[in-house]
Amino acid sequence: MRLVVDLDLCQGHAVCQDEAPELFEVPKTGQVRILRADPGTDLEAARLAVRYCPTQALSLVDDEAEKES
C-alpha cells in the first residue's frame, strides 16, 4: 500500500495531518506533503486521513492488486 495525493484537489485543510501527523505535513499556506508513502504500521491512520479529506485529494493504492490485474 502507498499513499498518493492529487495536488490539483488539495486545498491545505490539514485534516490528514490531524489524523496521521506521522504521515502528512501541511504548511500554514500550502498543500500536503506526504512524509512516508508506505504507511506501514500507520495504515489505519492513513485510512482515516483518506476518508476524512474534505476534497478527496488522498488515496491509498494497493500495488500488489495492480500487479495482479
Side-chain angles (χ1 to χ4, degrees):
M1 296 290 255
R2 68 183 160 90
L3 287 160
V4 177
V5 62
D6 182 338
L7 292 175
D8 290 333
L9 294 176
C10 179
Q11 295 179 359
H13 293 284
V15 173
C16 55
Q17 181 176 281
D18 292 341
E19 292 295 334
E22 59 283 341
L23 298 174
F24 303 99
E25 178 179 77
V26 181
K28 291 193 186 280
T29 56
Q31 295 176 307
V32 66
R33 190 180 79 155
I34 295 176
L35 301 175
R36 197 166 24 104
D38 179 354
T41 58
D42 298 309
L43 183 57
E44 188 54 36
R47 285 186 173 131
L48 291 174
V50 169
R51 177 183 298 156
Y52 295 121
C53 177
T55 61
Q56 299 179 337
L58 299 172
S59 57
L60 272 168
V61 176
D62 186 348
D63 292 321
E64 293 302 315
E66 285 184 356
K67 288 178 186 176
E68 293 172 9
S69 9

